[in-house]
Amino acid sequence: MSGFFGWLNDQFLRMEWLSDLVTYLLVATGLDVASPIGGSVHFFIYDVIKIFILLSVLIFAISWVQSYFPPERTRRILGGYSGIGANVIGALLGTITPFCSCSSIPLFIGFTAAGLPLGVTFSFLISSPLVDLASMILIASIFSWPIALTYIGVGLVLAVAGGTLIGRAGMENQVESFVYSAPVHDGEANMSRAERFRYAKDQVTEIIQRVWPYILVGVGIGALIHNWIPEATITALLGQDKWWSVLVAAVVGIPMYADIFGTLPIAEALVGKGVGLGTVLAFMMAVTALSLPSIIMLKRVIKMPLLILFLGIVTAGILIIGYIFNSITHLFL
Amino acid sequence: MIIKILGTGCKKCVALSENAMAAAKAAGKEAEIVKVTDFAQIAGYGVMSTPGLVIDEKLVSSGKVLTPQEIERLL
């Protein structure tokens, strides 16, 4: 049975047929896929097609699920829990809600105005861009299932722990006052099946239109690392034995605004060159969880001390996760 | 009448404002379309998912790009 599932995994998720097909076509045009140029071209074509196919299918499926959880419903569900349970539910709901950090600010305002605890809202805010089902399946496709599940697991722990710490800090007065006075609408539109279909289809078009440049750039950089930059150069800078590798990954990744889907091919190429799993995880988390545009937007709704606390907790979490995983990389690869 | 489109400039907001314009034209109504892009103001309408549609200061939809026909019914 495991052989059968392995085959399914290889063909549908890793799309080995596509890799073989690209190899076949490149060889037919006289390109040697073992050469650096041929290898780069193969990596680029195969990864771009694979990511776009997976992404379209995944976004459609997840948007369908998401259409059952409009923000009003999420808020009502969260209002029914208290203590750490609320943080856990907040982090879990974050995995099925928006892919984009641009929608998190209206959510923050809506949740806070309705009286949800600050810590619960932050659990949701940390988890929402960081972990989602689409990135889990893409990580499984590019790396493996254990790595994908681990990424989701530590992402959720970071969201729950981060939110809990922020909740304990008693910073309710560090939120701009207009947030508390925003009106709360509880109207929740019921969608028909046709509307869910349209919503899911629109999400696919919209997200693909937004992320395709990041994916092309990401795969391009990945192809470059994969075949042109010597392994010695990469490991000298980011090798597992270098104490600063996780730190460099986080510092480079935090201000970057990119999509997890564009970051994955870079991560894939880096792991192939002997960079530690923890370093790569830290890079992916830093890119997705925090970015300069989202920090600037957050600054409009929360005051500096709370912003610094939020950035500090998330950064510290990413560094801890990175160092822990670098010390146990051998369990996964 | 005044139609407000709430959103921070995403593609959906542009689509919604075009549909609103078409709807007003089809209904033969004089409508002024105003784009509201400021967070504080958007929050002031209690909207959590953009784009939002406000007709004469009343929030009629959020998180959806309504078709011109759907908007016409709301006018």
Side-chain angles (χ1 to χ4, degrees):
Chain A
M1 276 312 262
S2 76
F4 178 68
F5 281 115
W7 180 84
L8 279 184
N9 199 51
D10 286 346
Q11 297 302 329
F12 285 97
L13 210 53
R14 304 184 71 93
M15 298 194 194
E16 283 182 3
W17 59 270
L18 181 66
S19 175
D20 295 343
L21 181 69
V22 174
T23 305
Y24 176 80
L25 291 174
L26 288 179
V27 171
T29 58
L31 203 62
D32 176 12
V33 289
S35 71
I37 293 181
S40 301
V41 172
H42 180 271
F43 183 94
F44 190 85
I45 296 177
Y46 164 63
D47 257 41
V48 165
I49 297 178
K50 181 172 80 174
I51 291 177
F52 277 106
I53 294 177
L54 280 175
L55 210 53
S56 305
V57 175
L58 292 173
I59 294 170
F60 188 88
I62 290 157
S63 301
W64 192 283
V65 176
Q66 208 179 298
S67 72
Y68 287 90
F69 293 90
E72 291 78 11
R73 183 162 180 218
T74 304
R75 183 168 67 186
R76 217 177 42 236
I77 296 173
L78 281 176
Y81 291 86
S82 60
I84 191 129
N87 292 86
V88 173
I89 302 288
L92 286 174
L93 285 170
T95 62
I96 45 167
T97 34
F99 296 90
C100 176
S101 53
C102 56
S103 45
S104 13
I105 303 303
L107 286 173
F108 175 83
I109 297 172
F111 283 15
T112 312
L116 285 186
L118 207 52
V120 175
T121 305
F122 268 100
S123 280
F124 179 84
L125 274 189
I126 296 171
S127 141
S128 171
L130 189 64
V131 282
D132 65 68
L133 299 171
S135 49
M136 178 179 86
I137 294 177
L138 271 171
I139 294 172
S141 161
I142 288 177
F143 297 107
S144 68
W145 275 107
I147 294 180
L149 295 173
T150 307
Y151 176 84
I152 297 293
V154 293
L156 289 175
V157 169
L158 176 60
V160 172
T164 307
L165 285 173
I166 289 172
R168 293 260 168 90
M171 287 218 173
E172 281 68 22
N173 59 343
Q174 297 298 324
V175 175
E176 296 294 343
S177 55
F178 76 85
V179 173
Y180 289 114
S181 52
V184 177
H185 283 289
D186 230 356
E188 180 185 313
N190 263 324
M191 280 182 162
S192 65
R193 182 175 290 188
E195 277 180 317
R196 289 187 207 284
F197 183 82
R198 198 178 88 189
Y199 173 77
K201 198 178 64 98
D202 287 350
Q203 285 291 99
V204 174
T205 341
E206 198 208 319
I207 292 170
I208 298 274
Q209 273 176 0
R210 196 179 65 228
V211 304
W212 72 266
Y214 296 105
I215 295 176
L216 290 189
V217 171
V219 179
I221 295 175
L224 210 65
I225 296 172
H226 196 64
N227 295 290
W228 295 93
I229 303 181
E231 189 158 338
T233 313
I234 304 248
T235 47
L237 191 66
L238 292 170
Q240 268 190 76
D241 51 333
K242 306 291 184 295
W243 64 266
W244 63 76
S245 62
V246 174
L247 204 62
V248 170
V251 168
V252 170
I254 286 174
M256 245 166 91
Y257 175 76
D259 205 272
I260 179 142
F261 310 119
T263 331
L264 274 168
I266 302 179
E268 178 187 11
L270 286 175
V271 167
K273 290 277 168 174
V275 174
L277 189 60
T279 310
V280 169
L281 279 180
F283 177 68
M284 289 197 300
M285 293 189 144
V287 169
T288 48
L290 301 170
S291 73
L292 212 50
S294 71
I295 293 169
I296 291 169
M297 282 201 278
L298 258 180
K299 178 67 193 70
R300 313 238 346 239
V301 288
I302 61 179
K303 293 175 188 162
M304 205 42 116
L306 180 53
L307 185 67
I308 290 172
L309 179 72
F310 166 70
L311 294 179
I313 287 177
V314 176
T315 309
I318 290 172
L319 292 177
I320 293 169
I321 289 169
Y323 283 111
I324 290 178
F325 276 93
N326 268 355
S327 62
I328 56 166
T329 296
H330 59 277
L331 294 179
F332 294 94
L333 296 172
Chain B
M1 61 171 37
I2 295 175
I3 300 177
K4 287 185 176 171
I5 311 290
L6 315 179
T8 45
C10 51
K11 282 202 177 101
K12 282 186 178 175
C13 317
V14 178
L16 183 66
S17 99
E18 280 168 4
N19 291 355
M21 234 178 276
K25 206 171 176 186
K29 292 195 176 171
E30 221 21 65
E32 188 191 343
I33 309 249
V34 182
K35 284 183 187 164
V36 179
T37 53
D38 183 66
F39 286 127
Q41 284 185 45
I42 293 174
Y45 289 96
V47 165
M48 284 201 285
S49 37
T50 55
L53 184 67
V54 172
I55 299 175
D56 286 333
E57 292 309 299
K58 189 175 169 295
L59 179 71
V60 293
S61 113
S62 69
K64 274 195 216 175
V65 179
L66 300 177
T67 62
Q69 291 77 19
E70 285 168 326
I71 300 172
E72 215 181 315
R73 265 178 259 136
L74 294 167
L75 291 177

PDB file of all heavy atoms in Angstrom, chain A residues 7 17 37 73 94 101 118 136 186 189 214 227 267 321 323 328:
ATOM      1  N   TRP A   7       3.672   6.221  -4.975  1.00  0.00           N
ATOM      2  CA  TRP A   7       3.565   6.507  -6.408  1.00  0.00           C
ATOM      3  C   TRP A   7       2.625   7.700  -6.651  1.00  0.00           C
ATOM      4  O   TRP A   7       2.929   8.609  -7.409  1.00  0.00           O
ATOM      5  CB  TRP A   7       3.048   5.260  -7.134  1.00  0.00           C
ATOM      6  CG  TRP A   7       2.896   5.456  -8.611  1.00  0.00           C
ATOM      7  CD1 TRP A   7       3.877   5.335  -9.560  1.00  0.00           C
ATOM      8  CD2 TRP A   7       1.698   5.824  -9.305  1.00  0.00           C
ATOM      9  NE1 TRP A   7       3.357   5.608 -10.811  1.00  0.00           N
ATOM     10  CE2 TRP A   7       2.021   5.915 -10.687  1.00  0.00           C
ATOM     11  CE3 TRP A   7       0.383   6.084  -8.909  1.00  0.00           C
ATOM     12  CZ2 TRP A   7       1.082   6.259 -11.660  1.00  0.00           C
ATOM     13  CZ3 TRP A   7      -0.550   6.429  -9.880  1.00  0.00           C
ATOM     14  CH2 TRP A   7      -0.203   6.506 -11.239  1.00  0.00           C
ATOM     15  N   TRP A  17       6.276  12.979 -13.447  1.00  0.00           N
ATOM     16  CA  TRP A  17       5.993  12.853 -14.888  1.00  0.00           C
ATOM     17  C   TRP A  17       6.348  14.140 -15.612  1.00  0.00           C
ATOM     18  O   TRP A  17       6.846  14.137 -16.729  1.00  0.00           O
ATOM     19  CB  TRP A  17       4.515  12.508 -15.129  1.00  0.00           C
ATOM     20  CG  TRP A  17       3.562  13.527 -14.574  1.00  0.00           C
ATOM     21  CD1 TRP A  17       3.020  13.528 -13.317  1.00  0.00           C
ATOM     22  CD2 TRP A  17       3.069  14.703 -15.225  1.00  0.00           C
ATOM     23  NE1 TRP A  17       2.219  14.634 -13.148  1.00  0.00           N
ATOM     24  CE2 TRP A  17       2.221  15.372 -14.300  1.00  0.00           C
ATOM     25  CE3 TRP A  17       3.245  15.263 -16.488  1.00  0.00           C
ATOM     26  CZ2 TRP A  17       1.573  16.567 -14.603  1.00  0.00           C
ATOM     27  CZ3 TRP A  17       2.594  16.456 -16.790  1.00  0.00           C
ATOM     28  CH2 TRP A  17       1.765  17.092 -15.858  1.00  0.00           C
ATOM     29  N   ILE A  37      23.635  25.049 -17.709  1.00  0.00           N
ATOM     30  CA  ILE A  37      22.574  25.763 -18.424  1.00  0.00           C
ATOM     31  C   ILE A  37      21.331  24.889 -18.554  1.00  0.00           C
ATOM     32  O   ILE A  37      20.222  25.296 -18.200  1.00  0.00           O
ATOM     33  CB  ILE A  37      23.044  26.208 -19.837  1.00  0.00           C
ATOM     34  CG1 ILE A  37      24.136  27.269 -19.710  1.00  0.00           C
ATOM     35  CG2 ILE A  37      21.867  26.734 -20.659  1.00  0.00           C
ATOM     36  CD1 ILE A  37      24.660  27.803 -21.019  1.00  0.00           C
ATOM     37  N   ARG A  73     -18.080  35.193  10.785  1.00  0.00           N
ATOM     38  CA  ARG A  73     -18.275  33.907  11.437  1.00  0.00           C
ATOM     39  C   ARG A  73     -17.055  33.543  12.283  1.00  0.00           C
ATOM     40  O   ARG A  73     -17.192  33.065  13.414  1.00  0.00           O
ATOM     41  CB  ARG A  73     -18.517  32.831  10.370  1.00  0.00           C
ATOM     42  CG  ARG A  73     -18.799  31.506  10.998  1.00  0.00           C
ATOM     43  CD  ARG A  73     -19.456  30.540  10.028  1.00  0.00           C
ATOM     44  NE  ARG A  73     -19.679  29.290  10.721  1.00  0.00           N
ATOM     45  CZ  ARG A  73     -19.538  28.101  10.155  1.00  0.00           C
ATOM     46  NH1 ARG A  73     -19.182  28.009   8.894  1.00  0.00           N
ATOM     47  NH2 ARG A  73     -19.761  27.002  10.841  1.00  0.00           N
ATOM     48  N   GLY A  94      -6.674  30.905  11.416  1.00  0.00           N
ATOM     49  CA  GLY A  94      -5.741  31.661  10.572  1.00  0.00           C
ATOM     50  C   GLY A  94      -5.244  30.850   9.391  1.00  0.00           C
ATOM     51  O   GLY A  94      -4.842  31.415   8.373  1.00  0.00           O
ATOM     52  N   SER A 101      -1.539  39.581   3.448  1.00  0.00           N
ATOM     53  CA  SER A 101      -1.450  40.361   4.678  1.00  0.00           C
ATOM     54  C   SER A 101      -2.231  41.673   4.542  1.00  0.00           C
ATOM     55  O   SER A 101      -2.530  42.325   5.528  1.00  0.00           O
ATOM     56  CB  SER A 101       0.001  40.646   5.031  1.00  0.00           C
ATOM     57  OG  SER A 101       0.656  41.223   3.939  1.00  0.00           O
ATOM     58  N   LEU A 118      -6.926  40.972  22.773  1.00  0.00           N
ATOM     59  CA  LEU A 118      -5.820  41.324  21.894  1.00  0.00           C
ATOM     60  C   LEU A 118      -4.950  40.112  21.554  1.00  0.00           C
ATOM     61  O   LEU A 118      -4.541  39.926  20.411  1.00  0.00           O
ATOM     62  CB  LEU A 118      -4.970  42.397  22.593  1.00  0.00           C
ATOM     63  CG  LEU A 118      -4.178  43.348  21.725  1.00  0.00           C
ATOM     64  CD1 LEU A 118      -5.049  43.991  20.669  1.00  0.00           C
ATOM     65  CD2 LEU A 118      -3.529  44.413  22.593  1.00  0.00           C
ATOM     66  N   MET A 136       1.266  24.312   2.953  1.00  0.00           N
ATOM     67  CA  MET A 136       1.591  22.988   3.489  1.00  0.00           C
ATOM     68  C   MET A 136       1.752  21.978   2.351  1.00  0.00           C
ATOM     69  O   MET A 136       2.733  21.234   2.297  1.00  0.00           O
ATOM     70  CB  MET A 136       0.503  22.514   4.451  1.00  0.00           C
ATOM     71  CG  MET A 136       0.761  21.125   4.988  1.00  0.00           C
ATOM     72  SD  MET A 136      -0.508  20.573   6.143  1.00  0.00           S
ATOM     73  CE  MET A 136      -1.691  19.896   5.008  1.00  0.00           C
ATOM     74  N   ASP A 186     -22.841  42.475  12.123  1.00  0.00           N
ATOM     75  CA  ASP A 186     -22.798  41.022  12.267  1.00  0.00           C
ATOM     76  C   ASP A 186     -23.471  40.294  11.125  1.00  0.00           C
ATOM     77  O   ASP A 186     -23.602  39.089  11.140  1.00  0.00           O
ATOM     78  CB  ASP A 186     -23.400  40.600  13.608  1.00  0.00           C
ATOM     79  CG  ASP A 186     -22.453  39.645  14.312  1.00  0.00           C
ATOM     80  OD1 ASP A 186     -21.422  39.301  13.696  1.00  0.00           O
ATOM     81  OD2 ASP A 186     -22.737  39.246  15.454  1.00  0.00           O
ATOM     82  N   ALA A 189     -23.524  37.019   5.061  1.00  0.00           N
ATOM     83  CA  ALA A 189     -24.250  36.619   3.864  1.00  0.00           C
ATOM     84  C   ALA A 189     -24.144  35.119   3.654  1.00  0.00           C
ATOM     85  O   ALA A 189     -23.078  34.543   3.812  1.00  0.00           O
ATOM     86  CB  ALA A 189     -23.678  37.354   2.663  1.00  0.00           C
ATOM     87  N   TYR A 214       6.344  37.085  -8.334  1.00  0.00           N
ATOM     88  CA  TYR A 214       7.166  36.564  -7.234  1.00  0.00           C
ATOM     89  C   TYR A 214       7.616  35.138  -7.515  1.00  0.00           C
ATOM     90  O   TYR A 214       8.728  34.738  -7.191  1.00  0.00           O
ATOM     91  CB  TYR A 214       6.389  36.593  -5.915  1.00  0.00           C
ATOM     92  CG  TYR A 214       6.029  37.987  -5.471  1.00  0.00           C
ATOM     93  CD1 TYR A 214       4.731  38.464  -5.593  1.00  0.00           C
ATOM     94  CD2 TYR A 214       7.010  38.837  -4.943  1.00  0.00           C
ATOM     95  CE1 TYR A 214       4.403  39.746  -5.207  1.00  0.00           C
ATOM     96  CE2 TYR A 214       6.687  40.115  -4.555  1.00  0.00           C
ATOM     97  CZ  TYR A 214       5.386  40.574  -4.686  1.00  0.00           C
ATOM     98  OH  TYR A 214       5.067  41.835  -4.304  1.00  0.00           O
ATOM     99  N   ASN A 227      22.328  25.831  -9.892  1.00  0.00           N
ATOM    100  CA  ASN A 227      23.315  25.382 -10.866  1.00  0.00           C
ATOM    101  C   ASN A 227      24.537  26.267 -11.047  1.00  0.00           C
ATOM    102  O   ASN A 227      25.483  25.872 -11.704  1.00  0.00           O
ATOM    103  CB  ASN A 227      22.640  25.207 -12.231  1.00  0.00           C
ATOM    104  CG  ASN A 227      21.609  24.112 -12.192  1.00  0.00           C
ATOM    105  OD1 ASN A 227      21.945  22.936 -12.085  1.00  0.00           O
ATOM    106  ND2 ASN A 227      20.354  24.487 -12.232  1.00  0.00           N
ATOM    107  N   ALA A 267      14.128  28.281  -1.246  1.00  0.00           N
ATOM    108  CA  ALA A 267      14.375  27.374  -0.126  1.00  0.00           C
ATOM    109  C   ALA A 267      14.826  26.009  -0.634  1.00  0.00           C
ATOM    110  O   ALA A 267      15.778  25.416  -0.122  1.00  0.00           O
ATOM    111  CB  ALA A 267      13.110  27.236   0.709  1.00  0.00           C
ATOM    112  N   ILE A 321      13.035  28.748  16.407  1.00  0.00           N
ATOM    113  CA  ILE A 321      12.636  27.637  15.530  1.00  0.00           C
ATOM    114  C   ILE A 321      13.800  27.263  14.603  1.00  0.00           C
ATOM    115  O   ILE A 321      14.133  26.094  14.430  1.00  0.00           O
ATOM    116  CB  ILE A 321      11.386  28.021  14.704  1.00  0.00           C
ATOM    117  CG1 ILE A 321      10.162  28.089  15.629  1.00  0.00           C
ATOM    118  CG2 ILE A 321      11.143  27.024  13.570  1.00  0.00           C
ATOM    119  CD1 ILE A 321       8.938  28.709  14.988  1.00  0.00           C
ATOM    120  N   TYR A 323      17.101  27.719  15.010  1.00  0.00           N
ATOM    121  CA  TYR A 323      18.218  27.044  15.682  1.00  0.00           C
ATOM    122  C   TYR A 323      17.846  25.629  16.099  1.00  0.00           C
ATOM    123  O   TYR A 323      18.657  24.700  15.976  1.00  0.00           O
ATOM    124  CB  TYR A 323      18.713  27.875  16.877  1.00  0.00           C
ATOM    125  CG  TYR A 323      19.570  29.042  16.411  1.00  0.00           C
ATOM    126  CD1 TYR A 323      19.139  30.346  16.523  1.00  0.00           C
ATOM    127  CD2 TYR A 323      20.807  28.803  15.802  1.00  0.00           C
ATOM    128  CE1 TYR A 323      19.902  31.415  16.063  1.00  0.00           C
ATOM    129  CE2 TYR A 323      21.584  29.853  15.330  1.00  0.00           C
ATOM    130  CZ  TYR A 323      21.124  31.164  15.468  1.00  0.00           C
ATOM    131  OH  TYR A 323      21.888  32.193  14.997  1.00  0.00           O
ATOM    132  N   ILE A 328      18.412  19.549  14.576  1.00  0.00           N
ATOM    133  CA  ILE A 328      17.801  18.224  14.337  1.00  0.00           C
ATOM    134  C   ILE A 328      17.524  17.952  12.857  1.00  0.00           C
ATOM    135  O   ILE A 328      16.723  17.102  12.513  1.00  0.00           O
ATOM    136  CB  ILE A 328      16.508  18.026  15.158  1.00  0.00           C
ATOM    137  CG1 ILE A 328      15.510  19.163  14.851  1.00  0.00           C
ATOM    138  CG2 ILE A 328      16.776  17.953  16.644  1.00  0.00           C
ATOM    139  CD1 ILE A 328      14.104  18.877  15.339  1.00  0.00           C
TER     140      ILE A 328
END
